[in-house]
C-alpha cells in the first residue's frame, strides 16, 4: 500500500502564499501520477492538480495560474505552491497517488483568513 | 460548464442491494471517463473503492462493484451493512488530464 505524508498547511492571510509538501514513504513518487485534491469545510471533494511521472502538470480552472505543482526526485516529494490565496481556498488538501487516485494521504489543513 | 451528478442522499435497509449513480450534465458516462468511486466517513480521509469503472481497490470486499448502467456509472453495494454509512464520491476523467468529482451521495443505512 502506497503511503504519503503531507505538510505545510496553516493559517495565511488573503493574497499570501503557502507551499504544501507530500513525501512518499513507501514508494517512489517520480514513477507515479500524483494529485492534489481539496475539501472545503463541510463540502465535497475537488480535484485541483496532477503531475505525471514525466513531469507534466495539469490544473483545474479554479487554481490555474495561481497554484503550481513541482517535484523533487531527490527528496521523493511533490509540492503545491499556492500563490494569491483567497478565502475560498480554505480546505483540507489531500495528496493522492495514482492516475485513478488510488491512495490518499491524511491531508493538511489550509485556512485563508484575515 | 460540465457537472458530475450524483444523488445527494440515499437510504437503504440492512441487507438490501442499492446502486448509486454518477452522471454527466452533458452527455453519457463511458469507460473512457474511467469512473472511480471513493467513500469518506466523518473526520477521515477518503478511501478509493473502485477505479476504471469496475476494478476493486486492494482489500475492498466484493460486495462493492462498479459498472456502466445506461448513460451513467454506477456503484452497487450488495447486502448493505451498517458500516457502509458514508459519503460516496465518484470522479470522472474529462480528458486532458483533468478529473472532476461529483457532489457526493450521503448513504444512510436505516
Amino acid at each position: 500500500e502506497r503511503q504519503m505524508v503531507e505538510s505545510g498547511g496553516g493559517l495565511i492571510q488573503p493574497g499570501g502564499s503557502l507551499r504544501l509538501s507530500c513525501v512518499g514513504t513507501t514508494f517512489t513518487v517520480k514513477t507515479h501520477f500524483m494529485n492534489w485534491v481539496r475539501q472545503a469545510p463541510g463540502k465535497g471533494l475537488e480535484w485541483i492538480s496532477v503531475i505525471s511521472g514525466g513531469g507534466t502538470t495539469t490544473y483545474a480552472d479554479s487554481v490555474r495560474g495561481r497554484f503550481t505543482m513541482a517535484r523533487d526526485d531527490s527528496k521523493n516529494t511533490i509540492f503545491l505552491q499556492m500563490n494569491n490565496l483567497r478565502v475560498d481556498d480554505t480546505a483540507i488538501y489531500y495528496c493522492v497517488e495514482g492516475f485513478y487516485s488510488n491512495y490518499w494521504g491524511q491531508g493538511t489543513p489550509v485556512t485563508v483568513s484575515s | 460548464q460540465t457537472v458530475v451528478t450524483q444523488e445527494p442522499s440515499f437510504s437503504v435497509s440492512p441487507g438490501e442491494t442499492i446502486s448509486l449513480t454518477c452522471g454527466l450534465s452533458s452527455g453519457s458516462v463511458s469507460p473512457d471517463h474511467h469512473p472511480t468511486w471513493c467513500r469518506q466517513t466523518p473526520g477521515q480521509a477518503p478511501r478509493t473503492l473502485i477505479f476504471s469503472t469496475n476494478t476493486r481497490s486492494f482489500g475492498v470486499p466484493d460486495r462493492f462493484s462498479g459498472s456502466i448502467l445506461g448513460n451513467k456509472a454506477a456503484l452497487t453495494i450488495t447486502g448493505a451493512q451498517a458500516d457502509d454509512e458514508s459519503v460516496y464520491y465518484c470522479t470522472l476523467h474529462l480528458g486532458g488530464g483533468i478529473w472532476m468529482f461529483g457532489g457526493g451521495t450521503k448513504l444512510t443505512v436505516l
Side-chain angles (χ1 to χ4, degrees), chain A residues 12-20 36 38 46-49 57-70 79-91 93 110-112:
Chain A
I12 189 75
Q13 291 188 337
S17 296
L18 210 56
R19 189 179 78 159
L20 307 183
W36 287 99
R38 69 183 180 183
E46 180 188 13
W47 176 89
I48 59 172
S49 63
T57 54
T58 306
Y59 304 92
D61 289 346
S62 58
V63 305
R64 189 177 299 118
R66 299 187 301 125
F67 291 10
T68 303
M69 278 190 81
F79 302 97
L80 183 67
Q81 177 67 43
M82 304 186 295
N83 297 330
N84 191 20
L85 282 160
R86 308 187 300 223
V87 172
D88 62 0
D89 292 319
T90 294
Y93 284 73
V110 172
T111 302
V112 185

Side-chain angles (χ1 to χ4, degrees), chain B residues 64-87:
Chain B
F64 294 88
S65 61
S67 64
I68 301 290
L69 290 180
N71 63 349
K72 296 183 178 182
L75 173 70
T76 298
I77 305 174
T78 302
Q81 300 176 359
D83 61 4
D84 292 335
E85 277 207 354
S86 292
V87 179

Side-chain angles (χ1 to χ4, degrees), chain A residues 22-109:
Chain A
C22 169
V23 58
T25 58
T26 61
F27 68 103
T28 302
V29 162
K30 69 178 181 180
T31 62
H32 295 258
F33 284 86
M34 298 295 296
N35 304 268
W36 287 99
V37 174
R38 69 183 180 183
Q39 186 170 35
K43 302 296 184 182
L45 301 172
E46 180 188 13
W47 176 89
I48 59 172
S49 63
V50 64
I51 186 167
S52 71
T56 300
T57 54
T58 306
Y59 304 92
D61 289 346
S62 58
V63 305
R64 189 177 299 118
R66 299 187 301 125
F67 291 10
T68 303
M69 278 190 81
R71 191 175 68 211
D72 185 333
D73 295 342
S74 69
K75 297 179 179 177
N76 206 35
T77 300
I78 64 165
F79 302 97
L80 183 67
Q81 177 67 43
M82 304 186 295
N83 297 330
N84 191 20
L85 282 160
R86 308 187 300 223
V87 172
D88 62 0
D89 292 319
T90 294
I92 295 175
Y93 284 73
Y94 294 102
C95 174
V96 192
E97 179 275 341
F99 179 78
Y100 302 111
S101 294
N102 297 80
Y103 294 98
W104 296 69
Q106 287 303 304
T108 185

